Amino acid sequence: MTVLTPADAPATVRRTDARPGTVLDAARVVARQHRTMGWLLGALTVLAVGALIVVRLRADGIAADFATTGCSVDNTTRACGGAVRSYFDSEWFASRLQTYLGLLLMALPAVFGAFMAGPAVGRELESGTYKLAWSQAVSPARWLAAKLAVPAAAAVTATLVLTAASAWYRPENQADRPYVLAWYGPTLYGSLGTVPFALALFGLAVGTLAGVLLRRTVAAMAATVVTVGAVVAGQVRFRSHLWPTEVYESALNTSNPAGFPTESWITWSGYVTADGTRITDPCGGLGEKTDIETCMDLSDVTGFFYLHHPESHFWPLQLVESGILLAAALVAVAVAFRLLRRLHG
Protein backbone atom coordinates (compact mmCIF):
# COMPACT_ATOMS: atom_id res chain seq x y z
CA MET A 1 0.00 0.00 0.00
CA THR A 2 1.40 3.30 -1.08
CA VAL A 3 1.33 5.93 1.57
CA LEU A 4 0.83 9.41 0.26
CA THR A 5 2.56 12.03 2.33
CA PRO A 6 1.71 15.71 2.12
CA ALA A 7 4.22 17.94 0.49
CA ASP A 8 6.77 19.25 2.81
CA ALA A 9 5.74 22.58 4.26
CA PRO A 10 7.99 25.44 3.17
CA ALA A 11 10.69 26.10 5.64
CA THR A 12 10.22 29.15 7.83
CA VAL A 13 12.60 31.88 6.85
CA ARG A 14 14.39 33.23 9.83
CA ARG A 15 16.36 36.47 9.82
CA THR A 16 19.95 35.81 10.61
CA ASP A 17 21.27 39.22 9.64
CA ALA A 18 19.64 41.21 12.40
CA ARG A 19 22.01 43.96 13.42
CA PRO A 20 21.87 46.72 15.93
CA GLY A 21 20.33 49.88 14.60
CA THR A 22 22.95 52.46 13.67
CA VAL A 23 23.05 56.06 14.81
CA LEU A 24 22.17 57.07 11.25
CA ASP A 25 19.03 54.91 11.30
CA ALA A 26 17.94 56.41 14.60
CA ALA A 27 18.80 59.90 13.37
CA ARG A 28 16.43 59.49 10.41
CA VAL A 29 13.64 58.63 12.83
CA VAL A 30 14.45 61.65 15.02
CA ALA A 31 14.52 63.94 11.98
CA ARG A 32 11.07 62.74 10.92
CA GLN A 33 9.71 63.15 14.44
CA HIS A 34 10.82 66.77 14.68
CA ARG A 35 10.58 67.91 11.08
CA THR A 36 8.05 70.60 12.01
CA MET A 37 10.52 72.23 14.39
CA GLY A 38 13.19 71.96 11.72
CA TRP A 39 11.00 73.76 9.18
CA LEU A 40 10.27 76.50 11.71
CA LEU A 41 13.97 76.98 12.42
CA GLY A 42 14.72 77.12 8.72
CA ALA A 43 11.97 79.64 8.11
CA LEU A 44 13.20 81.83 10.98
CA THR A 45 16.75 81.73 9.60
CA VAL A 46 15.65 82.63 6.07
CA LEU A 47 13.43 85.44 7.37
CA ALA A 48 16.26 86.90 9.47
CA VAL A 49 18.76 86.77 6.61
CA GLY A 50 16.25 88.29 4.19
CA ALA A 51 15.57 91.17 6.58
CA LEU A 52 19.29 91.82 6.98
CA ILE A 53 19.86 91.92 3.22
CA VAL A 54 16.96 94.29 2.58
CA VAL A 55 17.86 96.69 5.40
CA ARG A 56 21.59 96.76 4.62
CA LEU A 57 21.06 97.44 0.91
CA ARG A 58 18.56 100.18 1.74
CA ALA A 59 20.87 101.80 4.32
CA ASP A 60 23.84 101.69 1.94
CA GLY A 61 21.72 103.22 -0.80
CA ILE A 62 20.59 106.08 1.43
CA ALA A 63 24.18 106.64 2.62
CA ALA A 64 25.40 106.81 -0.99
CA ASP A 65 22.66 109.28 -1.91
CA PHE A 66 23.43 111.39 1.17
CA ALA A 67 27.10 111.59 0.17
CA THR A 68 26.11 113.16 -3.16
CA THR A 69 23.97 115.90 -1.58
CA GLY A 70 26.94 117.81 -0.21
CA CYS A 71 25.25 117.99 3.20
CA SER A 72 27.10 117.33 6.43
CA VAL A 73 25.91 115.88 9.72
CA ASP A 74 28.15 118.33 11.60
CA ASN A 75 26.75 121.53 10.09
CA THR A 76 23.12 120.91 9.20
CA THR A 77 21.37 123.66 7.28
CA ARG A 78 17.64 124.04 6.89
CA ALA A 79 17.87 122.76 3.30
CA CYS A 80 19.77 119.65 4.41
CA GLY A 81 17.53 118.84 7.38
CA GLY A 82 15.42 116.26 5.57
CA ALA A 83 18.41 114.46 4.03
CA VAL A 84 20.26 114.33 7.35
CA ARG A 85 17.21 113.06 9.19
CA SER A 86 16.59 110.34 6.60
CA TYR A 87 20.26 109.28 6.77
CA PHE A 88 20.28 109.06 10.58
CA ASP A 89 16.95 107.20 10.67
CA SER A 90 18.13 104.52 8.25
CA GLU A 91 21.46 104.08 10.09
CA TRP A 92 19.73 103.85 13.46
CA PHE A 93 17.29 101.22 12.19
CA ALA A 94 20.14 99.24 10.62
CA SER A 95 22.02 99.29 13.92
CA ARG A 96 18.93 98.18 15.86
CA LEU A 97 18.42 95.25 13.50
CA GLN A 98 21.94 93.98 14.12
CA THR A 99 21.33 94.30 17.84
CA TYR A 100 18.20 92.17 17.49
CA LEU A 101 20.18 89.59 15.50
CA GLY A 102 22.74 89.42 18.30
CA LEU A 103 20.01 88.95 20.88
CA LEU A 104 18.53 86.17 18.74
CA LEU A 105 21.84 84.34 18.55
CA MET A 106 22.30 84.71 22.30
CA ALA A 107 18.80 83.33 22.96
CA LEU A 108 18.81 80.44 20.46
CA PRO A 109 21.14 78.18 22.54
CA ALA A 110 18.60 78.22 25.37
CA VAL A 111 15.87 77.35 22.86
CA PHE A 112 17.99 74.54 21.36
CA GLY A 113 18.76 73.19 24.80
CA ALA A 114 15.15 73.39 26.00
CA PHE A 115 13.96 71.57 22.89
CA MET A 116 16.61 68.91 23.47
CA ALA A 117 15.79 68.58 27.18
CA GLY A 118 12.02 68.60 26.72
CA PRO A 119 10.43 67.06 23.60
CA ALA A 120 13.53 65.25 22.37
CA VAL A 121 14.69 63.47 25.54
CA GLY A 122 12.69 64.33 28.65
CA ARG A 123 9.27 63.55 27.20
CA GLU A 124 10.31 60.14 25.86
CA LEU A 125 11.96 59.15 29.13
CA GLU A 126 8.94 60.44 31.07
CA SER A 127 6.33 58.64 28.95
CA GLY A 128 8.35 55.48 28.30
CA THR A 129 8.21 55.72 24.50
CA TYR A 130 11.98 55.25 24.41
CA LYS A 131 11.37 51.52 24.96
CA LEU A 132 9.98 51.21 21.43
CA ALA A 133 13.21 52.49 19.92
CA TRP A 134 15.32 50.29 22.16
CA SER A 135 13.25 47.24 21.21
CA GLN A 136 14.20 47.84 17.55
CA ALA A 137 17.83 46.88 18.21
CA VAL A 138 18.83 50.46 18.95
CA SER A 139 21.03 50.67 22.02
CA PRO A 140 20.44 53.42 24.60
CA ALA A 141 23.76 55.04 23.70
CA ARG A 142 22.95 55.12 19.99
CA TRP A 143 19.45 56.38 20.74
CA LEU A 144 20.84 59.30 22.75
CA ALA A 145 23.55 59.96 20.15
CA ALA A 146 20.88 60.26 17.46
CA LYS A 147 18.80 62.52 19.68
CA LEU A 148 21.84 64.77 20.06
CA ALA A 149 23.17 64.61 16.48
CA VAL A 150 20.05 65.84 14.68
CA PRO A 151 19.50 69.07 16.68
CA ALA A 152 23.28 69.66 16.73
CA ALA A 153 23.38 69.60 12.94
CA ALA A 154 20.39 71.95 12.74
CA ALA A 155 21.84 74.32 15.35
CA VAL A 156 25.26 74.49 13.69
CA THR A 157 23.73 75.09 10.25
CA ALA A 158 21.42 77.86 11.45
CA THR A 159 24.21 79.48 13.48
CA LEU A 160 26.60 79.35 10.53
CA VAL A 161 24.12 81.13 8.28
CA LEU A 162 23.26 83.79 10.86
CA THR A 163 26.85 84.54 11.89
CA ALA A 164 27.89 84.82 8.23
CA ALA A 165 24.98 87.20 7.64
CA SER A 166 25.99 89.25 10.70
CA ALA A 167 29.58 89.56 9.49
CA TRP A 168 28.41 90.65 6.03
CA TYR A 169 25.89 93.07 7.50
CA ARG A 170 28.46 95.07 9.47
CA PRO A 171 29.41 98.13 7.34
CA GLU A 172 32.99 98.35 6.07
CA ASN A 173 33.52 102.11 6.55
CA GLN A 174 32.49 101.99 10.20
CA ALA A 175 34.26 105.20 11.20
CA ASP A 176 32.10 107.19 8.77
CA ARG A 177 28.76 105.66 9.79
CA PRO A 178 26.76 106.63 12.88
CA TYR A 179 25.29 104.11 15.35
CA VAL A 180 27.84 101.42 14.41
CA LEU A 181 28.05 98.78 17.16
CA ALA A 182 31.39 98.32 18.91
CA TRP A 183 33.07 94.97 18.30
CA TYR A 184 33.10 94.24 22.04
CA GLY A 185 29.41 95.01 22.57
CA PRO A 186 27.57 91.95 23.91
CA THR A 187 25.16 91.67 21.00
CA LEU A 188 27.67 92.17 18.17
CA TYR A 189 30.39 90.09 19.84
CA GLY A 190 27.85 87.32 20.43
CA SER A 191 26.87 87.24 16.75
CA LEU A 192 30.39 86.93 15.30
CA GLY A 193 33.25 84.45 15.41
CA THR A 194 33.20 81.03 17.08
CA VAL A 195 31.36 81.86 20.30
CA PRO A 196 27.83 81.46 18.80
CA PHE A 197 28.68 77.90 17.67
CA ALA A 198 30.20 76.94 21.01
CA LEU A 199 27.26 78.41 22.90
CA ALA A 200 24.74 76.57 20.71
CA LEU A 201 26.49 73.23 21.32
CA PHE A 202 26.74 74.01 25.02
CA GLY A 203 22.99 74.64 25.15
CA LEU A 204 22.32 71.30 23.48
CA ALA A 205 24.67 69.51 25.87
CA VAL A 206 22.99 71.06 28.92
CA GLY A 207 19.59 70.13 27.52
CA THR A 208 20.73 66.55 26.98
CA LEU A 209 21.99 66.23 30.53
CA ALA A 210 18.88 67.86 31.99
CA GLY A 211 16.59 65.54 30.03
CA VAL A 212 18.42 62.39 31.13
CA LEU A 213 18.84 63.54 34.71
CA LEU A 214 15.36 64.94 35.43
CA ARG A 215 13.28 62.75 33.08
CA ARG A 216 10.50 65.35 33.20
CA THR A 217 9.66 67.52 30.23
CA VAL A 218 8.81 70.82 31.88
CA ALA A 219 11.40 70.52 34.66
CA ALA A 220 14.18 69.72 32.19
CA MET A 221 13.24 72.60 29.89
CA ALA A 222 13.12 75.07 32.78
CA ALA A 223 16.46 73.90 34.17
CA THR A 224 18.07 74.24 30.74
CA VAL A 225 16.79 77.77 30.14
CA VAL A 226 17.93 78.91 33.59
CA THR A 227 21.38 77.31 33.24
CA VAL A 228 22.08 78.63 29.74
CA GLY A 229 20.76 82.07 30.70
CA ALA A 230 23.10 82.19 33.69
CA VAL A 231 26.05 81.19 31.51
CA VAL A 232 25.24 83.91 28.94
CA ALA A 233 25.08 86.49 31.72
CA GLY A 234 28.40 85.21 33.05
CA GLN A 235 29.95 85.51 29.60
CA VAL A 236 29.06 89.17 29.39
CA ARG A 237 30.29 89.82 32.93
CA PHE A 238 33.65 88.01 32.84
CA ARG A 239 34.57 88.07 29.13
CA SER A 240 37.10 90.87 29.51
CA HIS A 241 39.14 88.74 31.94
CA LEU A 242 39.73 85.89 29.50
CA TRP A 243 42.77 87.54 27.91
CA PRO A 244 45.39 89.91 29.37
CA THR A 245 44.67 93.58 28.77
CA GLU A 246 47.13 96.09 27.44
CA VAL A 247 48.18 99.14 29.47
CA TYR A 248 48.31 102.67 28.11
CA GLU A 249 49.55 105.60 30.16
CA SER A 250 49.62 109.28 29.23
CA ALA A 251 50.77 112.48 30.87
CA LEU A 252 48.35 115.04 32.26
CA ASN A 253 49.30 117.64 29.69
CA THR A 254 48.47 115.36 26.76
CA SER A 255 45.77 116.94 24.60
CA ASN A 256 44.29 113.53 23.80
CA PRO A 257 44.85 111.42 26.92
CA ALA A 258 43.06 108.45 25.39
CA GLY A 259 45.74 108.35 22.64
CA PHE A 260 44.91 104.81 21.44
CA PRO A 261 42.47 103.58 18.76
CA THR A 262 38.89 104.49 19.53
CA GLU A 263 37.77 100.90 18.91
CA SER A 264 39.68 99.71 22.00
CA TRP A 265 37.66 98.16 24.81
CA ILE A 266 38.51 100.05 28.01
CA THR A 267 38.11 97.79 31.04
CA TRP A 268 39.56 100.09 33.70
CA SER A 269 40.88 103.66 33.75
CA GLY A 270 42.10 106.14 36.31
CA TYR A 271 45.10 108.13 37.43
CA VAL A 272 48.78 107.35 37.95
CA THR A 273 50.71 108.90 40.86
CA ALA A 274 54.39 109.79 40.92
CA ASP A 275 55.33 106.47 42.54
CA GLY A 276 53.44 104.50 39.85
CA THR A 277 50.33 103.71 41.93
CA ARG A 278 47.07 103.50 39.99
CA ILE A 279 44.04 105.07 41.60
CA THR A 280 40.49 105.55 40.40
CA ASP A 281 39.46 108.47 42.61
CA PRO A 282 42.13 111.07 43.48
CA CYS A 283 39.66 112.74 45.86
CA GLY A 284 39.22 109.63 47.98
CA GLY A 285 39.16 110.71 51.62
CA LEU A 286 39.74 114.40 50.82
CA GLY A 287 36.11 115.47 51.16
CA GLU A 288 33.34 116.02 48.66
CA LYS A 289 33.91 119.78 48.34
CA THR A 290 37.53 119.47 47.18
CA ASP A 291 37.87 120.31 43.50
CA ILE A 292 39.46 117.78 41.14
CA GLU A 293 42.61 119.82 40.46
CA THR A 294 43.34 120.17 44.16
CA CYS A 295 42.77 116.44 44.62
CA MET A 296 45.18 115.61 41.83
CA ASP A 297 47.84 117.88 43.35
CA LEU A 298 47.39 116.44 46.82
CA SER A 299 47.44 112.87 45.49
CA ASP A 300 50.55 113.64 43.40
CA VAL A 301 48.84 112.57 40.18
CA THR A 302 51.15 112.65 37.17
CA GLY A 303 49.07 111.05 34.42
CA PHE A 304 46.24 108.81 33.28
CA PHE A 305 46.16 105.06 32.74
CA TYR A 306 43.90 102.83 30.67
CA LEU A 307 43.59 99.04 30.70
CA HIS A 308 42.08 98.03 27.38
CA HIS A 309 41.58 95.34 24.76
CA PRO A 310 42.49 96.51 21.26
CA GLU A 311 40.47 95.10 18.38
CA SER A 312 43.28 92.61 17.73
CA HIS A 313 42.17 90.80 20.90
CA PHE A 314 38.88 89.81 19.29
CA TRP A 315 40.02 86.36 18.16
CA PRO A 316 42.01 85.45 21.30
CA LEU A 317 38.97 86.31 23.42
CA GLN A 318 36.68 84.39 21.08
CA LEU A 319 38.84 81.26 21.01
CA VAL A 320 39.39 81.14 24.77
CA GLU A 321 35.69 81.60 25.47
CA SER A 322 34.73 79.01 22.82
CA GLY A 323 37.20 76.53 24.29
CA ILE A 324 35.67 76.90 27.75
CA LEU A 325 32.14 76.42 26.41
CA LEU A 326 33.09 73.38 24.31
CA ALA A 327 34.93 71.77 27.22
CA ALA A 328 31.86 72.26 29.42
CA ALA A 329 29.67 70.83 26.65
CA LEU A 330 31.85 67.72 26.36
CA VAL A 331 31.68 67.18 30.11
CA ALA A 332 27.88 67.54 30.12
CA VAL A 333 27.47 65.07 27.23
CA ALA A 334 29.85 62.56 28.84
CA VAL A 335 27.93 62.75 32.12
CA ALA A 336 24.62 62.30 30.25
CA PHE A 337 25.83 59.12 28.50
CA ARG A 338 27.31 57.73 31.70
CA LEU A 339 24.11 58.44 33.59
CA LEU A 340 22.01 56.80 30.88
CA ARG A 341 24.24 53.73 30.93
CA ARG A 342 24.00 53.48 34.71
CA LEU A 343 20.21 53.79 34.71
CA HIS A 344 19.43 51.56 31.73
CA GLY A 345 22.52 49.46 31.05
Side-chain angles (χ1 to χ4, degrees):
M1 179 176 180
T2 303
V3 179
L4 299 177
T5 59
D8 293 338
T12 302
V13 178
R14 297 181 181 273
R15 291 189 60 181
T16 59
D17 60 342
R19 60 182 177 84
T22 64
V23 174
L24 185 58
D25 296 333
R28 292 194 185 99
V29 175
V30 175
R32 286 196 297 269
Q33 288 177 332
H34 304 292
R35 58 183 177 272
T36 301
M37 184 63 68
W39 281 111
L40 289 175
L41 177 62
L44 176 64
T45 303
V46 171
L47 181 63
V49 172
L52 290 174
I53 293 174
V54 171
V55 173
R56 172 49 58 204
L57 293 179
R58 179 178 178 274
D60 288 347
I62 292 177
D65 293 340
F66 179 73
T68 63
T69 61
C71 297
S72 171
V73 297
D74 298 324
N75 265 324
T76 304
T77 63
R78 184 181 298 273
C80 291
V84 171
R85 183 165 53 253
S86 176
Y87 172 63
F88 273 114
D89 287 346
S90 67
E91 292 295 319
W92 181 86
F93 185 77
S95 176
R96 292 303 90 197
L97 185 61
Q98 188 156 43
T99 298
Y100 299 147
L101 175 63
L103 292 174
L104 174 64
L105 280 167
M106 293 170 67
L108 276 179
V111 177
F112 292 145
F115 171 76
M116 186 68 190
V121 175
R123 184 172 63 189
E124 293 206 20
L125 292 176
E126 181 179 8
S127 63
T129 54
Y130 65 92
K131 297 177 182 178
L132 176 61
W134 295 1
S135 67
Q136 304 299 318
V138 176
S139 67
R142 289 179 177 176
W143 172 82
L144 185 59
K147 290 289 184 183
L148 182 60
V150 172
V156 168
T157 302
T159 304
L160 175 62
V161 173
L162 292 175
T163 51
S166 180
W168 170 84
Y169 185 82
R170 197 180 183 199
E172 296 181 1
N173 54 338
Q174 300 169 37
D176 301 329
R177 308 286 284 265
Y179 306 116
V180 173
L181 300 179
W183 66 267
Y184 51 83
T187 54
L188 182 59
Y189 184 95
S191 65
L192 299 173
T194 56
V195 166
F197 297 94
L199 186 59
L201 295 177
F202 173 78
L204 289 171
V206 171
T208 302
L209 178 59
V212 174
L213 181 63
L214 300 178
R215 300 168 58 90
R216 296 291 184 271
T217 305
V218 177
M221 294 177 72
T224 300
V225 171
V226 171
T227 302
V228 176
V231 169
V232 171
Q235 287 179 279
V236 176
R237 174 65 178 82
F238 298 105
R239 178 171 292 151
S240 62
H241 302 287
L242 298 179
W243 194 257
T245 56
E246 294 187 3
V247 181
Y248 179 87
E249 294 185 358
S250 63
L252 288 176
N253 58 359
T254 304
S255 58
N256 179 19
F260 51 85
T262 56
E263 63 271 12
S264 288
W265 179 9
I266 301 175
T267 60
W268 188 31
S269 64
Y271 303 90
V272 181
T273 62
D275 60 358
T277 303
R278 294 170 183 168
I279 59 176
T280 303
D281 181 15
C283 294
L286 298 179
E288 298 180 358
K289 296 184 179 180
T290 309
D291 61 86
I292 186 65
E293 293 183 1
T294 303
C295 292
M296 294 172 69
D297 291 337
L298 294 175
S299 301
D300 202 14
V301 171
T302 60
F304 301 95
F305 79 89
Y306 300 87
L307 301 185
H308 68 104
H309 287 291
E311 195 170 9
S312 59
H313 285 189
F314 173 81
W315 281 111
L317 287 167
Q318 283 267 332
L319 294 177
V320 171
E321 187 171 345
S322 299
I324 295 174
L325 289 171
L326 290 177
L330 288 175
V331 171
V333 170
V335 172
F337 275 94
R338 185 175 182 84
L339 185 61
L340 186 70
R341 189 180 302 114
R342 176 177 296 180
L343 294 176
H344 301 285

